[in-house]
Amino acid sequence: MLSKKNRYTVTTLFFLTFFLLSIFFFFFTPTTLRSPPPLHSDLYLRLQPLSPPPPPQPHQLHSSTETQQSEPASSTDDYVAGKESESETVTDPLEKKSDEESESGTVTETVKNSDKESESGTVTETVKNADKESEAATVTETVTNADKESEPETVTENVDNADKESEAETVTESVDNADKESEAETVTGNVDNADKESEAETVTENVDNADEESQVETVTGRVENAKDCDLFTGTWVRDDNYPIYQPGSCPYVDEAYDCKVNGRNDSLYTKWRWKPHGCDLPRFNATDFLVRLKGKRLMLVGDSMNRNQFESILCMLREGLQDKSKMYETHGHKITKGRGYFVFRFKGYDCTVEFVRSHFLVKEGVRINAQGNSNPTLSIDRIDKTYGRWKRADILVFNTGHWWTHGKTARGINYYKEGDYLYPKFDAVEAYRKAIQTWGRWIDNNINPRKQIVYYRGYSSAHFRGGDWDSGGSCNGETEPVLNGSILNNYPLKMKIVEEVIQGMKFPVKLLNVTRLTNFRKDGHPSVYGKNTMGGKKVSTRKQDCSHWCLPGVPDAWNELIYSTLVFQQTKSRH
């Protein structure tokens, strides 16, 4: 009896000792006797954020990690759409957190298991507190993949049970693409279950384009068949959402074009929108246009018609600024017809919009005649003296035309020069052709098509009745566009010459062919309202302006076309 009892006692003690030793090695050997293996260097590089992380804040060292569900913030570089335009929500990429004191990067996954129906693997709880200054509980789940030893994943499960009143579920997925280091996509899923059963997802795509200085992510308006659409063949449609800026509201409209302030009472001429037959123009978005101009110089070069367009674009872009003081003329000059050079800077966008006066785009000069008097000349084989400023622009808009119809230019007597030779008489149309050819050669030889964009704005139609600008011509009383008739088919020889020259150039000049769309608008000129008629002032009706345009008005459509070509060009490049 005694020997049996001793055998039973020895056996029991042996198994009990073995069991206790197993428990000891099972729980304490992986965590306390071994340090975790370091991350493979390749994996470490892939897990690093693109930029150095900020130092950990005190609240990040708190004992428990709160997982909060939040809405993605709108990017500061997102474009603000107008009242009628569509806006795209652009969200910031998920913030990547890296703790310099830890030895491994983690992808955080919070697992919610309310009914305890699923099976869970082995969970090891590691408590690391070097200085014993804070209490932190971290539950680490290690997933080992036998088939893929080169791609280890560490999944950290954070459970916050402070108040046990609510449960939050956040899943963050990081995708590493080794073939494309310049593009990163972050997908953020936000689930709102407060009052609705549906799930909402926001996808944010960040595109890094090394060949461009700025990114344009918003295309305003609806673009249909842009590739094949002729933007310059169409009609004017009534649109009560117009004008883009209110009459009398823009301080950059000089007196000659400020028809409302000068006493014009009708306003229908401001309510028309240009509509091409084959597509819809994108709705003008001033903020988007400014973003496209960021870091660039837009320069309009030409006669007073281009100054008319210059003042228009200033007023249109001004609508995209909440703080109007962020826009100013760099030398403090007020716009007047007596000055030939203006530079407006848009603070915050680092861009400028400039005007350079050049009536003919070729060099004007003077000669001294036999009587000792000076007479003007035009060197049709030499570029205008302001060309030095043209070279510095990123986007150029040229025009010339109306000065070629003036007396001395039209007569061509002792006026045109080639080299040192002064023609006793020379045909004005042929002189125009040679001047445009001179301009075209200069563009081909001096402007870089990879870095610069060049527009040539076509001839703008005048609407004089019973004479010309200096012979009693009139357009007073016109309040609606011409919607039919032979005038709509007018196309001057000057425009055919421009088309021929541009087709023969190496540089891809964009022709803003506004001639036909201006044929409609006999109602848009200042007529007698080029001067202030308020306060009982009498203005002569003998000399009316039926060449230039009231602002807001027709030149706004020219700038909408520039904006549209930039939008369409981006759309094509993406496809």
Side-chain angles (χ1 to χ4, degrees):
M1 294 295 292
L2 181 61
S3 61
K4 291 182 179 180
K5 184 176 181 181
N6 288 340
R7 284 197 302 272
Y8 178 77
T9 302
V10 170
T11 304
T12 302
L13 290 174
F14 175 81
F15 282 107
L16 180 61
T17 302
F18 179 81
F19 178 74
L20 291 176
L21 287 174
S22 300
I23 293 176
F24 177 83
F25 283 100
F26 181 79
F27 283 98
F28 292 93
T29 300
T31 58
T32 60
L33 299 182
R34 281 186 202 167
S35 60
L39 284 174
H40 191 278
S41 59
D42 291 341
L43 178 61
Y44 177 77
L45 290 175
R46 289 199 294 270
L47 291 175
Q48 292 304 301
L50 296 178
S51 60
Q57 301 298 321
H59 69 276
Q60 293 175 335
L61 300 178
H62 193 270
S63 60
S64 63
T65 303
E66 291 187 359
T67 305
Q68 297 182 350
Q69 181 177 348
S70 61
E71 297 180 0
S74 178
S75 172
T76 56
D77 288 335
D78 187 24
Y79 310 140
V80 182
K83 293 182 180 179
E84 295 81 21
S85 66
E86 299 177 356
S87 62
E88 296 181 358
T89 303
V90 180
T91 59
D92 289 328
L94 293 175
E95 180 182 2
K96 296 181 179 179
K97 298 183 179 179
S98 174
D99 189 353
E100 297 179 355
E101 297 179 358
S102 66
E103 296 181 358
S104 64
T106 62
V107 178
T108 305
E109 176 178 3
T110 303
V111 180
K112 176 182 176 182
N113 186 357
S114 58
D115 297 327
K116 298 184 179 179
E117 296 177 358
S118 63
E119 295 183 2
S120 60
T122 301
V123 179
T124 303
E125 179 176 355
T126 302
V127 179
K128 182 177 180 180
N129 188 354
D131 298 328
K132 296 184 180 180
E133 296 179 358
S134 62
E135 296 181 3
T138 305
V139 181
T140 306
E141 176 181 353
T142 304
V143 180
T144 304
N145 190 342
D147 296 330
K148 296 182 179 179
E149 298 180 359
S150 62
E151 298 181 1
E153 294 182 358
T154 301
V155 179
T156 303
E157 176 179 347
N158 296 327
V159 181
D160 182 16
N161 290 322
D163 298 325
K164 296 185 179 180
E165 295 180 358
S166 63
E167 296 181 4
E169 181 178 11
T170 303
V171 179
T172 305
E173 177 179 0
S174 300
V175 180
D176 179 21
N177 188 343
D179 295 331
K180 296 182 180 179
E181 298 180 359
S182 63
E183 297 182 1
E185 294 184 358
T186 303
V187 179
T188 305
N190 294 327
V191 181
D192 181 11
N193 289 323
D195 298 322
K196 300 180 179 179
E197 297 178 353
S198 63
E199 296 183 356
E201 295 185 354
T202 301
V203 180
T204 305
E205 180 181 45
N206 296 326
V207 181
D208 180 15
N209 190 341
D211 297 329
E212 297 179 357
E213 295 181 357
S214 61
Q215 296 182 357
V216 180
E217 300 175 1
T218 301
V219 178
T220 310
R222 188 178 179 185
V223 180
E224 298 177 350
N225 302 323
K227 183 177 180 180
D228 301 322
C229 181
D230 180 1
L231 301 181
F232 310 103
T233 301
T235 189
W236 292 87
V237 296
R238 177 76 179 270
D239 191 334
D240 288 333
N241 292 319
Y242 276 63
I244 294 172
Y245 53 97
Q246 293 303 311
S249 67
C250 182
Y252 307 120
V253 178
D254 70 50
E255 182 183 18
Y257 315 136
D258 208 354
C259 302
K260 176 71 173 179
V261 173
N262 290 342
R264 182 169 180 175
N265 293 321
D266 64 302
S267 61
L268 184 59
Y269 70 95
T270 68
K271 299 291 185 180
W272 297 94
R273 171 174 58 85
W274 177 248
K275 169 68 173 69
H277 289 318
C279 60
D280 286 321
L281 296 181
R283 182 71 69 173
F284 183 81
N285 186 324
T287 304
D288 183 39
F289 201 164
L290 284 170
V291 173
R292 294 172 190 274
L293 293 178
K294 192 171 185 178
K296 295 181 173 59
R297 300 176 66 174
L298 169 61
M299 182 178 292
L300 290 86
V301 182
D303 55 25
S304 58
M305 301 300 299
N306 246 21
R307 181 166 58 84
N308 205 172
Q309 183 178 1
F310 168 69
E311 295 178 19
S312 163
I313 199 169
L314 291 179
C315 295
M316 295 171 76
L317 292 177
R318 183 175 180 266
E319 292 300 300
L321 300 176
Q322 292 184 350
D323 184 356
K324 309 302 184 188
S325 65
K326 298 295 184 181
M327 170 185 179
Y328 56 91
E329 210 285 325
T330 56
H331 300 95
H333 296 151
K334 183 179 179 181
I335 297 179
T336 62
K337 62 182 179 181
R339 185 175 296 277
Y341 182 51
F342 299 98
V343 179
F344 276 80
R345 180 170 297 279
F346 292 81
K347 193 174 181 180
Y349 293 94
D350 190 30
C351 67
T352 60
V353 178
E354 308 174 31
F355 171 72
V356 177
R357 181 170 60 201
S358 177
H359 299 130
F360 303 99
L361 303 181
V362 290
K363 188 175 181 180
E364 296 180 71
V366 293
R367 68 178 181 87
I368 306 300
N369 60 20
Q371 291 75 31
N373 299 323
S374 60
N375 295 109
T377 61
L378 189 66
S379 296
I380 53 180
D381 60 339
R382 297 181 182 178
I383 203 68
D384 186 74
K385 62 183 180 181
T386 62
Y387 71 87
R389 288 170 174 159
W390 309 354
K391 289 183 177 181
R392 300 192 294 266
D394 299 285
I395 303 175
L396 287 153
V397 183
F398 291 96
N399 98 292
T400 185
H402 282 267
W403 278 65
W404 293 87
T405 63
H406 292 183
K408 60 182 179 296
T409 313
R411 290 191 296 270
I413 299 175
N414 294 323
Y415 181 63
Y416 295 110
K417 289 180 64 177
E418 282 195 276
D420 294 329
Y421 181 73
L422 177 68
Y423 288 99
K425 185 173 177 59
F426 197 79
D427 180 68
V429 173
E430 187 61 25
Y432 181 83
R433 186 191 307 276
K434 286 181 175 290
I436 296 299
Q437 289 172 343
T438 299
W439 168 82
R441 285 194 299 271
W442 187 91
I443 294 295
D444 279 342
N445 296 329
N446 292 275
I447 302 299
N448 188 344
R450 293 190 298 271
K451 296 181 178 180
Q452 295 164 287
I453 300 174
V454 175
Y455 294 91
Y456 186 95
R457 182 188 48 77
Y459 190 80
S460 171
S461 301
H463 296 87
F464 290 99
R465 300 189 309 261
D468 209 337
W469 68 276
D470 57 351
S471 58
S474 172
C475 57
N476 187 28
E478 299 289 353
T479 59
E480 293 185 356
V482 179
L483 298 179
N484 52 66
S486 59
I487 188 175
L488 300 182
N489 297 319
N490 286 353
Y491 199 67
L493 179 57
K494 292 185 181 68
M495 283 307 302
K496 296 178 182 179
I497 292 173
V498 168
E499 287 183 339
E500 291 173 1
V501 172
I502 289 177
Q503 288 173 1
M505 293 174 60
K506 295 182 296 183
F507 191 99
V509 173
K510 300 177 185 294
L511 177 60
L512 286 176
N513 199 343
V514 303
T515 300
R516 288 193 173 94
L517 71 86
T518 58
N519 285 344
F520 291 85
R521 297 306 304 275
K522 64 176 183 177
D523 59 319
H525 301 289
S527 63
V528 298
Y529 299 105
K531 293 183 180 293
N532 197 314
T533 62
M534 304 299 287
K537 295 180 182 179
K538 293 184 178 181
V539 177
S540 173
T541 59
R542 293 182 57 189
K543 196 170 184 180
Q544 300 185 17
D545 185 354
C546 303
S547 298
H548 299 95
W549 304 95
C550 295
L551 294 179
V554 173
D556 299 340
W558 306 346
N559 293 320
E560 286 186 273
L561 288 166
I562 291 178
Y563 174 70
S564 298
T565 60
L566 295 176
V567 171
F568 289 164
Q569 177 177 319
Q570 180 199 7
T571 304
K572 294 176 185 177
S573 64
R574 284 183 173 179
H575 292 296

